[in-house]
Amino acid sequence: MAIKVLVVDDELDMRTFITTLLETNGYKPISAVDGREGMEIARRSKPSLIILDVMMPKESGINMYRELKSDPALKTIPVIMLSALSKKTFFHSQKVLDEYSGEHVPEPSAYIEKPPEPDELLQAIEHSLKT
């Protein structure tokens, strides 16, 4: 049975690129256009991995990530963050949110700046599924 991977990104081009890459490498992609839809699908289909865009309208990837990591049923699912934001900016924002909320959220299993290189993304997927 193919491994289910949830792709959450508001950009159609990026969703198409990632789902095609997943399909051609034997994974079963499911996609969502924002964090709210992503959470609903994650709860319903329990994917093995989530590839999550940071900047989205409605529900941001940062909010969805924090919600995932605080949900006992979903917190063990590895997440690869994908963003036009630099890694440094993202991790700084997480630290600020941790201090503000009083809870520490673990780092994502990978953080890839857009646009992702297919090989880099596939390596991150394989690595995330092994750990």
Side-chain angles (χ1 to χ4, degrees):
M1 197 173 105
I3 294 170
K4 276 190 286 190
V5 179
L6 173 58
V7 178
V8 185
D9 199 311
D10 60 314
E11 294 172 38
L12 178 61
D13 292 354
M14 193 53 66
R15 278 198 315 274
T16 304
F17 165 74
I18 297 168
T19 55
T20 304
L21 184 69
L22 289 166
E23 280 171 352
T24 55
N25 285 278
Y27 297 99
K28 184 181 183 224
I30 324 163
S31 59
V33 295
D34 62 40
R36 199 172 306 142
E37 186 186 18
M39 282 304 295
E40 286 169 17
I41 293 172
R43 286 193 179 103
R44 198 170 55 236
S45 63
K46 302 280 189 294
S48 299
L49 174 71
I50 298 171
I51 298 173
L52 180 58
D53 181 25
V54 174
M55 310 269 283
M56 291 181 289
K58 287 191 194 154
E59 177 83 18
S60 79
I62 291 175
N63 288 353
M64 180 179 165
Y65 181 73
R66 295 182 79 82
E67 196 176 332
L68 279 168
K69 292 302 169 187
S70 61
D71 186 321
L74 304 172
K75 69 180 184 185
T76 57
I77 300 172
V79 179
I80 295 174
M81 300 300 284
L82 205 58
S83 181
L85 272 183
S86 76
K87 192 172 185 172
K88 187 178 168 196
T89 304
F90 171 76
F91 285 110
H92 176 71
S93 71
Q94 287 303 296
K95 194 173 162 222
V96 170
L97 286 168
D98 282 352
E99 288 168 8
Y100 178 74
S101 66
E103 54 182 356
H104 174 69
V105 175
E107 289 187 4
S109 53
Y111 188 94
I112 298 173
E113 291 180 25
K114 283 184 175 180
E117 290 295 325
D119 292 349
E120 183 188 11
L121 187 54
L122 286 170
Q123 281 176 342
I125 290 166
E126 286 167 27
H127 175 76
S128 299
L129 290 169
K130 279 183 196 146
T131 49

